[in-house]
Amino acid sequence: MFDKILIANRGEVAVRIIRTARRMGIKTAIVFSEADRDSLAVDMADDAVFIGPSPAAQSYLVIDKIVAAAKQTGAQAIHPGFGFLSEKAEFADRLLAEKITFIGPNPGAIRAMGDKIESKKTAADAGVSCVPGFIGEIEGVEHAVQIAEEIGYPVMIKASAGGGGKGIRVAYNRKDVEEGFPAVRAEAKGAFGDDRIFIEKFVTAPRHIEIQVLGDKHGNVVHLFERECSIQRRNQKVIEEAPSPLLDEKTRMAMGEQAVALAKAVDYDSAGTVEFVASGADKSFYFLEMNTRLQVEHPVSEMITGLDLVEQMIRVAAGEKLAFKQKDLKISGWAIESRIYAEDPYRNFLPSIGRLKTYQAPAEGKQGAITLRNETGVREGDEISMFYDPMIAKLITHGPTRIAAIDAQAAALDNFLIEGIAENIPFLGAVMEEKDFRKGDFTTAYIKQKFPDGFEGVPPTKAQEKLLIASAAVARSFTARRATQTSGRVTPANGWQRDWVVILDKVHHLTHVDLDEKGADVFIDGRKHRFDTETRPGARIIIGAFDGQPFAVKIKTAPEGYTLRLRGVTARATVATPRGADLHKKIPEKQKADTSKLIVSPMPGLVISIDAKAGQDVKAGEGVAVVEAMKMQNIIRAERDGVIAKVHVAPGASVAADEVMIELT
């Protein structure tokens, strides 16, 4: 076994590897860029080596720097994590030449499977069912259009070296290809250093199912069953689970056997994932690609099998045989994983960059039948950088059934508090409550179908509405009691204010609060409710039980009241005295400013191109600029017809969120 390994990665996967290595008694070293100098992973590792500027192309993707760091720290092996160099055959080749063990598959397997074009050829030769498409070099936009029209729309334009949802576009017509092909090629070049593209048929109403495989250097290969990864946005997975609610035992066995056969065909000798697109109608499935590395969503497979995949990768790399056979592996319970991203769900999920002023994750561990796990590479006070993936954490819950795991996930999201940047927790909470998701009835188009106009929050149920009203009234009563006690004004005769009007969504609710040592009796519109809590006044999350049902409500002070968050609900509650509520009815609504003539950057990022000039006519929906943020290129479009009056930015400039880029007449 190794004495020391180097981690050629950053963030939560680096922390994940360090934790397993510690448990195995292996020392760790890590490389870091300027942006990651003060990161959690750097603090946790036994050694750390600075490898350059923040852009990955100048640090994490430079093989010479990684090799030098391994030699400097005396590491015998390198774990690449996922992304960066994890699927670069030339990196594995170099380590082989340097006599440093690569904790991953052999270079031949990476070449055969890591290249998306070559992997499809290999799969076809192995008799694996493949999606119809064009496998070969594409000369340019016109050639791409020709191929797409021969296959038939819709098609998927995909980077050969892609991964992690980067370098992918779905095209439904010629215009989509003309815009999408250059964008995918640019993303592929920037993120992977390889701009080769392939095009394949996009299967409508698909499910994204992947099989986790694990092989050793002695010819043994097993699968660890499937993961359901169909809840995606812009081809980036958002929620994963294991097993899949779609598969029956027969289909599970067939997919597993195909995945193992494919892995054996290329002498696969590490953890890897074979991805399929499956039909929700008849459970037919087609090979998509193989990822020759650890997957972001690997924890759900670990939770249902009891295996540590990072440990298995290390043991296999050290030459050990797998200590189990396929017949020894069983599915136990159900696991759900939510990816918590630094992005604003209320602004079309645009990236959010900044410092984590508050980061309070729910407690990890086992409580009854539920196990909770949180994988992250950040702490309170850390900064989310524009240079890397916007993931903050992965929240995983495991329970005896799918619904138990979903309910536990929803409750854990309610208890996850992040401030300082926007994050997607409200959206994730909304999905956990959505009926089709709970039934397991969805496709990869789920988010687009359920939220066609973007995410604007969800309305509260009647029970949630009562809980939010009670939370606001109790919080205000705590404040009133404390103020009267401090001032000495409280007397047995008058006490403190107990009668309130809570204004929620413009509706006035008469509320009376009787505080006691364990919480309060709350009367809402004449009906009594019990609000039990031990949360101290001023806390950002109120935890307790409402009419006997456990809850966690996030609460933040706002003018004359509070902003409250629960599941996918975000509500603004004004808490007033009865007299104050009467006056509120007489206040006119403020008119919104007219910003229709301004084209603004919806996110902070780098201006890649400006496709408009003063005096030019533009139509609604026409692309006028491209802004890159967190490794993704975003086309900025005009929202209405008009004439360009002024262009405020140029290619290469940095822009802030809501910064005016272009003005229309």
Side-chain angles (χ1 to χ4, degrees), residues 215-270:
D216 62 22
K217 298 183 183 302
H218 306 275
N220 302 302
V221 180
V222 298
H223 69 82
L224 276 61
F225 312 106
E226 81 278 3
R227 294 187 289 259
E228 171 80 61
C229 304
S230 298
I231 308 297
Q232 303 178 4
R233 184 188 55 75
R234 297 173 187 162
N235 301 296
Q236 173 70 65
K237 299 164 191 172
V238 179
I239 296 168
E240 300 101 350
E241 59 184 295
S244 165
L246 174 69
L247 301 192
D248 53 29
E249 195 55 44
K250 179 180 178 181
T251 309
R252 175 176 294 118
M253 183 179 297
M255 292 179 81
E257 288 175 350
Q258 253 192 54
V260 168
L262 188 59
K264 285 184 174 180
V266 293
D267 297 322
Y268 202 80
D269 53 353
S270 187

Short mmCIF file of all heavy atoms in Angstrom, two decimals, residues 215-270:
data_model
loop_
_atom_site.label_atom_id
_atom_site.label_comp_id
_atom_site.label_asym_id
_atom_site.label_seq_id
_atom_site.Cartn_x
_atom_site.Cartn_y
_atom_site.Cartn_z
N GLY A 215 -13.15 -2.35 -11.73
CA GLY A 215 -12.30 -3.45 -12.16
C GLY A 215 -10.96 -3.41 -11.46
O GLY A 215 -10.55 -2.37 -10.94
N ASP A 216 -10.27 -4.56 -11.43
CA ASP A 216 -8.92 -4.59 -10.87
C ASP A 216 -7.92 -4.96 -11.96
O ASP A 216 -8.27 -5.08 -13.13
CB ASP A 216 -8.84 -5.53 -9.66
CG ASP A 216 -9.15 -6.99 -10.01
OD1 ASP A 216 -9.02 -7.37 -11.20
OD2 ASP A 216 -9.50 -7.75 -9.09
N LYS A 217 -6.67 -5.12 -11.57
CA LYS A 217 -5.61 -5.42 -12.54
C LYS A 217 -5.42 -6.91 -12.74
O LYS A 217 -4.42 -7.36 -13.31
CB LYS A 217 -4.29 -4.78 -12.07
CG LYS A 217 -4.38 -3.25 -11.97
CD LYS A 217 -3.06 -2.63 -11.57
CE LYS A 217 -3.19 -1.12 -11.40
NZ LYS A 217 -3.68 -0.44 -12.63
N HIS A 218 -6.40 -7.70 -12.30
CA HIS A 218 -6.34 -9.15 -12.43
C HIS A 218 -7.50 -9.69 -13.25
O HIS A 218 -7.80 -10.89 -13.21
CB HIS A 218 -6.35 -9.79 -11.03
CG HIS A 218 -5.27 -9.26 -10.13
ND1 HIS A 218 -3.97 -9.76 -10.14
CD2 HIS A 218 -5.27 -8.25 -9.23
CE1 HIS A 218 -3.23 -9.09 -9.26
NE2 HIS A 218 -4.00 -8.16 -8.70
N GLY A 219 -8.15 -8.80 -13.99
CA GLY A 219 -9.21 -9.23 -14.90
C GLY A 219 -10.60 -9.29 -14.30
O GLY A 219 -11.55 -9.69 -14.99
N ASN A 220 -10.75 -8.90 -13.06
CA ASN A 220 -12.06 -8.94 -12.41
C ASN A 220 -12.79 -7.61 -12.60
O ASN A 220 -12.21 -6.54 -12.39
CB ASN A 220 -11.90 -9.20 -10.91
CG ASN A 220 -11.17 -10.51 -10.64
OD1 ASN A 220 -11.61 -11.57 -11.07
ND2 ASN A 220 -10.05 -10.43 -9.93
N VAL A 221 -14.04 -7.68 -13.00
CA VAL A 221 -14.87 -6.47 -13.16
C VAL A 221 -16.26 -6.76 -12.59
O VAL A 221 -16.84 -7.81 -12.85
CB VAL A 221 -15.00 -6.05 -14.63
CG1 VAL A 221 -15.87 -4.79 -14.74
CG2 VAL A 221 -13.65 -5.82 -15.27
N VAL A 222 -16.78 -5.83 -11.82
CA VAL A 222 -18.14 -5.93 -11.30
C VAL A 222 -18.85 -4.60 -11.56
O VAL A 222 -18.22 -3.59 -11.87
CB VAL A 222 -18.17 -6.22 -9.78
CG1 VAL A 222 -17.51 -7.56 -9.48
CG2 VAL A 222 -17.50 -5.10 -8.99
N HIS A 223 -20.17 -4.63 -11.42
CA HIS A 223 -20.91 -3.36 -11.44
C HIS A 223 -21.58 -3.16 -10.09
O HIS A 223 -21.90 -4.11 -9.38
CB HIS A 223 -21.93 -3.33 -12.59
CG HIS A 223 -23.09 -4.27 -12.42
ND1 HIS A 223 -24.20 -3.97 -11.65
CD2 HIS A 223 -23.33 -5.51 -12.94
CE1 HIS A 223 -25.05 -4.97 -11.70
NE2 HIS A 223 -24.56 -5.93 -12.47
N LEU A 224 -21.76 -1.90 -9.74
CA LEU A 224 -22.38 -1.54 -8.46
C LEU A 224 -23.78 -0.98 -8.71
O LEU A 224 -24.19 0.00 -8.09
CB LEU A 224 -21.51 -0.51 -7.72
CG LEU A 224 -20.35 -1.07 -6.86
CD1 LEU A 224 -19.35 -1.84 -7.73
CD2 LEU A 224 -19.64 0.06 -6.14
N PHE A 225 -24.46 -1.59 -9.68
CA PHE A 225 -25.84 -1.22 -10.01
C PHE A 225 -25.91 0.16 -10.65
O PHE A 225 -24.90 0.68 -11.10
CB PHE A 225 -26.74 -1.36 -8.77
CG PHE A 225 -26.55 -2.67 -8.07
CD1 PHE A 225 -25.87 -2.74 -6.86
CD2 PHE A 225 -26.99 -3.85 -8.65
CE1 PHE A 225 -25.65 -3.95 -6.22
CE2 PHE A 225 -26.79 -5.08 -8.01
CZ PHE A 225 -26.11 -5.12 -6.80
N GLU A 226 -27.10 0.73 -10.69
CA GLU A 226 -27.30 1.93 -11.49
C GLU A 226 -27.53 3.17 -10.64
O GLU A 226 -27.83 3.09 -9.44
CB GLU A 226 -28.50 1.73 -12.44
CG GLU A 226 -29.85 1.95 -11.81
CD GLU A 226 -30.39 0.77 -11.03
OE1 GLU A 226 -29.67 -0.25 -10.91
OE2 GLU A 226 -31.52 0.86 -10.51
N ARG A 227 -27.39 4.32 -11.34
CA ARG A 227 -27.77 5.61 -10.78
C ARG A 227 -28.73 6.27 -11.76
O ARG A 227 -28.52 6.21 -12.97
CB ARG A 227 -26.54 6.51 -10.58
CG ARG A 227 -25.56 6.02 -9.53
CD ARG A 227 -24.46 7.04 -9.28
NE ARG A 227 -23.54 7.16 -10.37
CZ ARG A 227 -22.31 6.58 -10.40
NH1 ARG A 227 -21.90 5.84 -9.38
NH2 ARG A 227 -21.51 6.76 -11.43
N GLU A 228 -29.73 6.91 -11.24
CA GLU A 228 -30.66 7.70 -12.04
C GLU A 228 -30.18 9.15 -12.02
O GLU A 228 -30.07 9.76 -10.95
CB GLU A 228 -32.07 7.61 -11.46
CG GLU A 228 -33.08 8.54 -12.07
CD GLU A 228 -33.62 8.04 -13.39
OE1 GLU A 228 -34.24 6.96 -13.44
OE2 GLU A 228 -33.44 8.78 -14.38
N CYS A 229 -29.89 9.70 -13.20
CA CYS A 229 -29.33 11.06 -13.29
C CYS A 229 -30.13 11.91 -14.26
O CYS A 229 -29.57 12.75 -14.97
CB CYS A 229 -27.87 10.99 -13.73
SG CYS A 229 -26.82 9.97 -12.66
N SER A 230 -31.44 11.73 -14.31
CA SER A 230 -32.26 12.40 -15.31
C SER A 230 -32.62 13.84 -14.97
O SER A 230 -33.01 14.60 -15.86
CB SER A 230 -33.55 11.60 -15.55
OG SER A 230 -33.26 10.32 -16.06
N ILE A 231 -32.52 14.22 -13.71
CA ILE A 231 -32.86 15.60 -13.33
C ILE A 231 -31.66 16.47 -13.66
O ILE A 231 -30.68 16.53 -12.91
CB ILE A 231 -33.24 15.72 -11.84
CG1 ILE A 231 -34.33 14.70 -11.49
CG2 ILE A 231 -33.70 17.13 -11.53
CD1 ILE A 231 -35.64 14.91 -12.21
N GLN A 232 -31.72 17.10 -14.83
CA GLN A 232 -30.60 17.85 -15.37
C GLN A 232 -31.04 19.23 -15.83
O GLN A 232 -32.19 19.42 -16.21
CB GLN A 232 -29.97 17.12 -16.56
CG GLN A 232 -29.50 15.72 -16.26
CD GLN A 232 -28.95 15.03 -17.50
OE1 GLN A 232 -28.85 15.62 -18.58
NE2 GLN A 232 -28.58 13.77 -17.36
N ARG A 233 -30.12 20.15 -15.79
CA ARG A 233 -30.34 21.49 -16.33
C ARG A 233 -29.15 21.83 -17.21
O ARG A 233 -28.01 21.77 -16.77
CB ARG A 233 -30.48 22.51 -15.19
CG ARG A 233 -30.81 23.91 -15.65
CD ARG A 233 -30.73 24.89 -14.49
NE ARG A 233 -29.44 24.83 -13.81
CZ ARG A 233 -28.33 25.34 -14.28
NH1 ARG A 233 -28.32 25.94 -15.46
NH2 ARG A 233 -27.21 25.24 -13.60
N ARG A 234 -29.42 22.16 -18.48
CA ARG A 234 -28.34 22.42 -19.44
C ARG A 234 -27.35 21.26 -19.48
O ARG A 234 -26.14 21.44 -19.53
CB ARG A 234 -27.63 23.73 -19.11
CG ARG A 234 -28.51 24.97 -19.19
CD ARG A 234 -27.79 26.20 -18.69
NE ARG A 234 -28.67 27.35 -18.61
CZ ARG A 234 -28.41 28.44 -17.89
NH1 ARG A 234 -27.30 28.51 -17.20
NH2 ARG A 234 -29.25 29.43 -17.86
N ASN A 235 -27.88 20.05 -19.41
CA ASN A 235 -27.07 18.82 -19.46
C ASN A 235 -26.15 18.66 -18.26
O ASN A 235 -25.24 17.83 -18.27
CB ASN A 235 -26.26 18.75 -20.76
CG ASN A 235 -27.15 18.80 -21.99
OD1 ASN A 235 -27.96 17.91 -22.21
ND2 ASN A 235 -27.04 19.86 -22.76
N GLN A 236 -26.37 19.44 -17.22
CA GLN A 236 -25.60 19.30 -15.98
C GLN A 236 -26.52 18.64 -14.95
O GLN A 236 -27.61 19.13 -14.66
CB GLN A 236 -25.14 20.67 -15.47
CG GLN A 236 -24.47 20.64 -14.11
CD GLN A 236 -23.12 19.97 -14.16
OE1 GLN A 236 -22.19 20.45 -14.79
NE2 GLN A 236 -23.01 18.84 -13.49
N LYS A 237 -26.06 17.53 -14.40
CA LYS A 237 -26.88 16.82 -13.41
C LYS A 237 -27.09 17.69 -12.18
O LYS A 237 -26.19 18.40 -11.74
CB LYS A 237 -26.19 15.51 -13.03
CG LYS A 237 -26.00 14.56 -14.21
CD LYS A 237 -25.00 13.49 -13.90
CE LYS A 237 -24.62 12.72 -15.15
NZ LYS A 237 -23.50 11.78 -14.92
N VAL A 238 -28.29 17.61 -11.63
CA VAL A 238 -28.64 18.41 -10.46
C VAL A 238 -29.01 17.53 -9.27
O VAL A 238 -28.60 17.77 -8.14
CB VAL A 238 -29.82 19.36 -10.79
CG1 VAL A 238 -30.22 20.18 -9.57
CG2 VAL A 238 -29.45 20.29 -11.94
N ILE A 239 -29.80 16.49 -9.56
CA ILE A 239 -30.21 15.54 -8.53
C ILE A 239 -29.97 14.13 -9.06
O ILE A 239 -30.33 13.82 -10.19
CB ILE A 239 -31.69 15.72 -8.17
CG1 ILE A 239 -31.93 17.11 -7.54
CG2 ILE A 239 -32.17 14.63 -7.20
CD1 ILE A 239 -33.39 17.49 -7.41
N GLU A 240 -29.34 13.29 -8.25
CA GLU A 240 -29.10 11.90 -8.64
C GLU A 240 -29.65 10.97 -7.56
O GLU A 240 -29.81 11.38 -6.41
CB GLU A 240 -27.60 11.62 -8.82
CG GLU A 240 -26.93 12.48 -9.89
CD GLU A 240 -26.14 13.65 -9.32
OE1 GLU A 240 -26.28 13.92 -8.10
OE2 GLU A 240 -25.40 14.29 -10.08
N GLU A 241 -29.90 9.74 -7.95
CA GLU A 241 -30.35 8.77 -6.96
C GLU A 241 -29.93 7.37 -7.37
O GLU A 241 -29.61 7.10 -8.52
CB GLU A 241 -31.87 8.84 -6.79
CG GLU A 241 -32.67 8.57 -8.05
CD GLU A 241 -34.18 8.75 -7.81
OE1 GLU A 241 -34.74 7.96 -7.02
OE2 GLU A 241 -34.76 9.66 -8.40
N ALA A 242 -29.93 6.49 -6.38
CA ALA A 242 -29.63 5.08 -6.63
C ALA A 242 -30.47 4.25 -5.66
O ALA A 242 -30.55 4.59 -4.47
CB ALA A 242 -28.15 4.79 -6.42
N PRO A 243 -31.12 3.22 -6.17
CA PRO A 243 -31.19 2.80 -7.58
C PRO A 243 -32.12 3.71 -8.38
O PRO A 243 -32.50 4.77 -7.88
CB PRO A 243 -31.73 1.38 -7.48
CG PRO A 243 -32.57 1.39 -6.24
CD PRO A 243 -31.86 2.30 -5.28
N SER A 244 -32.46 3.29 -9.60
CA SER A 244 -33.36 4.08 -10.45
C SER A 244 -34.80 3.62 -10.25
O SER A 244 -35.07 2.41 -10.22
CB SER A 244 -32.98 3.91 -11.92
OG SER A 244 -34.03 4.39 -12.76
N PRO A 245 -35.75 4.56 -10.15
CA PRO A 245 -37.15 4.15 -10.06
C PRO A 245 -37.70 3.58 -11.36
O PRO A 245 -38.80 3.02 -11.36
CB PRO A 245 -37.87 5.45 -9.68
CG PRO A 245 -36.98 6.55 -10.16
CD PRO A 245 -35.58 6.02 -10.04
N LEU A 246 -36.94 3.70 -12.45
CA LEU A 246 -37.40 3.19 -13.74
C LEU A 246 -37.17 1.70 -13.91
O LEU A 246 -38.02 0.98 -14.44
CB LEU A 246 -36.70 3.94 -14.88
CG LEU A 246 -36.98 3.42 -16.30
CD1 LEU A 246 -38.43 3.69 -16.69
CD2 LEU A 246 -36.03 4.05 -17.31
N LEU A 247 -36.02 1.22 -13.48
CA LEU A 247 -35.59 -0.12 -13.86
C LEU A 247 -36.26 -1.23 -13.06
O LEU A 247 -36.49 -1.10 -11.85
CB LEU A 247 -34.07 -0.25 -13.69
CG LEU A 247 -33.19 0.72 -14.49
CD1 LEU A 247 -31.74 0.25 -14.45
CD2 LEU A 247 -33.66 0.87 -15.93
N ASP A 248 -36.53 -2.32 -13.74
CA ASP A 248 -36.91 -3.56 -13.07
C ASP A 248 -35.66 -4.44 -13.00
O ASP A 248 -34.60 -4.09 -13.53
CB ASP A 248 -38.05 -4.26 -13.81
CG ASP A 248 -37.75 -4.48 -15.29
OD1 ASP A 248 -36.55 -4.62 -15.66
OD2 ASP A 248 -38.70 -4.50 -16.10
N GLU A 249 -35.76 -5.55 -12.34
CA GLU A 249 -34.58 -6.39 -12.12
C GLU A 249 -34.00 -6.92 -13.42
O GLU A 249 -32.78 -7.01 -13.59
CB GLU A 249 -34.93 -7.57 -11.19
CG GLU A 249 -33.72 -8.28 -10.61
CD GLU A 249 -32.78 -7.35 -9.86
OE1 GLU A 249 -33.26 -6.50 -9.08
OE2 GLU A 249 -31.54 -7.45 -10.06
N LYS A 250 -34.86 -7.22 -14.40
CA LYS A 250 -34.40 -7.75 -15.68
C LYS A 250 -33.57 -6.70 -16.43
O LYS A 250 -32.49 -6.99 -16.95
CB LYS A 250 -35.59 -8.19 -16.52
CG LYS A 250 -35.21 -8.74 -17.89
CD LYS A 250 -36.46 -9.15 -18.67
CE LYS A 250 -36.10 -9.66 -20.06
NZ LYS A 250 -37.32 -10.02 -20.85
N THR A 251 -34.08 -5.46 -16.49
CA THR A 251 -33.37 -4.40 -17.20
C THR A 251 -32.08 -4.04 -16.47
O THR A 251 -31.05 -3.78 -17.10
CB THR A 251 -34.26 -3.15 -17.32
OG1 THR A 251 -35.52 -3.53 -17.86
CG2 THR A 251 -33.62 -2.11 -18.22
N ARG A 252 -32.14 -4.01 -15.15
CA ARG A 252 -30.95 -3.72 -14.34
C ARG A 252 -29.84 -4.74 -14.64
O ARG A 252 -28.67 -4.37 -14.83
CB ARG A 252 -31.32 -3.75 -12.86
CG ARG A 252 -30.13 -3.57 -11.91
CD ARG A 252 -30.59 -3.51 -10.47
NE ARG A 252 -31.38 -2.33 -10.22
CZ ARG A 252 -32.66 -2.34 -9.83
NH1 ARG A 252 -33.29 -3.50 -9.65
NH2 ARG A 252 -33.30 -1.21 -9.63
N MET A 253 -30.21 -5.98 -14.71
CA MET A 253 -29.23 -7.03 -14.97
C MET A 253 -28.65 -6.89 -16.38
O MET A 253 -27.43 -7.01 -16.59
CB MET A 253 -29.87 -8.41 -14.81
CG MET A 253 -28.91 -9.57 -15.00
SD MET A 253 -29.71 -11.19 -14.77
CE MET A 253 -30.19 -11.08 -13.05
N ALA A 254 -29.51 -6.59 -17.36
CA ALA A 254 -29.05 -6.46 -18.75
C ALA A 254 -28.09 -5.29 -18.89
O ALA A 254 -27.03 -5.40 -19.54
CB ALA A 254 -30.24 -6.30 -19.68
N MET A 255 -28.42 -4.14 -18.30
CA MET A 255 -27.55 -2.97 -18.38
C MET A 255 -26.24 -3.24 -17.66
O MET A 255 -25.16 -2.87 -18.15
CB MET A 255 -28.25 -1.75 -17.79
CG MET A 255 -29.43 -1.27 -18.58
SD MET A 255 -30.24 0.18 -17.83
CE MET A 255 -29.15 1.47 -18.40
N GLY A 256 -26.32 -3.87 -16.51
CA GLY A 256 -25.10 -4.18 -15.75
C GLY A 256 -24.18 -5.11 -16.51
O GLY A 256 -22.96 -4.90 -16.55
N GLU A 257 -24.76 -6.12 -17.14
CA GLU A 257 -23.95 -7.08 -17.90
C GLU A 257 -23.30 -6.41 -19.09
O GLU A 257 -22.13 -6.69 -19.41
CB GLU A 257 -24.83 -8.25 -18.34
CG GLU A 257 -25.22 -9.17 -17.19
CD GLU A 257 -26.18 -10.27 -17.62
OE1 GLU A 257 -26.69 -10.20 -18.77
OE2 GLU A 257 -26.43 -11.19 -16.81
N GLN A 258 -24.03 -5.52 -19.78
CA GLN A 258 -23.45 -4.81 -20.92
C GLN A 258 -22.30 -3.92 -20.48
O GLN A 258 -21.26 -3.83 -21.14
CB GLN A 258 -24.52 -3.96 -21.62
CG GLN A 258 -24.95 -4.54 -22.95
CD GLN A 258 -25.79 -3.58 -23.76
OE1 GLN A 258 -25.38 -2.45 -24.03
NE2 GLN A 258 -26.96 -4.04 -24.17
N ALA A 259 -22.50 -3.22 -19.36
CA ALA A 259 -21.47 -2.32 -18.85
C ALA A 259 -20.21 -3.10 -18.49
O ALA A 259 -19.09 -2.68 -18.79
CB ALA A 259 -21.99 -1.55 -17.64
N VAL A 260 -20.37 -4.23 -17.84
CA VAL A 260 -19.22 -5.06 -17.46
C VAL A 260 -18.52 -5.60 -18.70
O VAL A 260 -17.29 -5.61 -18.79
CB VAL A 260 -19.67 -6.20 -16.53
CG1 VAL A 260 -18.56 -7.23 -16.36
CG2 VAL A 260 -20.08 -5.65 -15.16
N ALA A 261 -19.30 -6.04 -19.70
CA ALA A 261 -18.71 -6.57 -20.93
C ALA A 261 -17.88 -5.50 -21.63
O ALA A 261 -16.78 -5.77 -22.14
CB ALA A 261 -19.81 -7.09 -21.86
N LEU A 262 -18.40 -4.29 -21.66
CA LEU A 262 -17.67 -3.19 -22.29
C LEU A 262 -16.38 -2.89 -21.53
O LEU A 262 -15.32 -2.66 -22.13
CB LEU A 262 -18.56 -1.95 -22.34
CG LEU A 262 -18.04 -0.75 -23.13
CD1 LEU A 262 -17.79 -1.12 -24.58
CD2 LEU A 262 -19.04 0.40 -23.04
N ALA A 263 -16.46 -2.88 -20.21
CA ALA A 263 -15.28 -2.62 -19.39
C ALA A 263 -14.22 -3.71 -19.60
O ALA A 263 -13.03 -3.41 -19.73
CB ALA A 263 -15.67 -2.53 -17.92
N LYS A 264 -14.66 -4.94 -19.66
CA LYS A 264 -13.71 -6.04 -19.87
C LYS A 264 -13.07 -5.96 -21.26
O LYS A 264 -11.91 -6.33 -21.43
CB LYS A 264 -14.42 -7.39 -19.69
CG LYS A 264 -14.71 -7.73 -18.23
CD LYS A 264 -15.31 -9.13 -18.10
CE LYS A 264 -15.47 -9.52 -16.64
NZ LYS A 264 -16.05 -10.88 -16.49
N ALA A 265 -13.82 -5.45 -22.23
CA ALA A 265 -13.30 -5.36 -23.60
C ALA A 265 -12.09 -4.44 -23.69
O ALA A 265 -11.27 -4.57 -24.61
CB ALA A 265 -14.40 -4.89 -24.54
N VAL A 266 -11.98 -3.48 -22.76
CA VAL A 266 -10.85 -2.54 -22.79
C VAL A 266 -9.94 -2.74 -21.57
O VAL A 266 -9.14 -1.87 -21.24
CB VAL A 266 -11.35 -1.08 -22.85
CG1 VAL A 266 -12.05 -0.82 -24.17
CG2 VAL A 266 -12.27 -0.73 -21.68
N ASP A 267 -10.06 -3.92 -20.92
CA ASP A 267 -9.22 -4.25 -19.75
C ASP A 267 -9.31 -3.16 -18.67
O ASP A 267 -8.30 -2.69 -18.14
CB ASP A 267 -7.75 -4.44 -20.17
CG ASP A 267 -7.58 -5.61 -21.12
OD1 ASP A 267 -8.28 -6.62 -20.93
OD2 ASP A 267 -6.78 -5.50 -22.06
N TYR A 268 -10.51 -2.76 -18.36
CA TYR A 268 -10.71 -1.66 -17.42
C TYR A 268 -10.32 -2.07 -16.01
O TYR A 268 -10.71 -3.13 -15.52
CB TYR A 268 -12.17 -1.19 -17.45
CG TYR A 268 -12.31 0.21 -16.93
CD1 TYR A 268 -12.02 1.29 -17.75
CD2 TYR A 268 -12.68 0.46 -15.62
CE1 TYR A 268 -12.10 2.59 -17.28
CE2 TYR A 268 -12.77 1.74 -15.14
CZ TYR A 268 -12.47 2.81 -15.96
OH TYR A 268 -12.54 4.09 -15.49
N ASP A 269 -9.56 -1.19 -15.33
CA ASP A 269 -8.98 -1.57 -14.05
C ASP A 269 -9.05 -0.45 -13.01
O ASP A 269 -8.06 -0.13 -12.35
CB ASP A 269 -7.53 -2.02 -14.23
CG ASP A 269 -6.69 -1.00 -14.98
OD1 ASP A 269 -7.25 -0.01 -15.47
OD2 ASP A 269 -5.46 -1.20 -15.07
N SER A 270 -10.24 0.12 -12.84
CA SER A 270 -10.45 1.14 -11.81
C SER A 270 -11.95 1.38 -11.71
O SER A 270 -12.74 0.58 -12.23
CB SER A 270 -9.72 2.44 -12.17
OG SER A 270 -9.78 3.37 -11.10
#
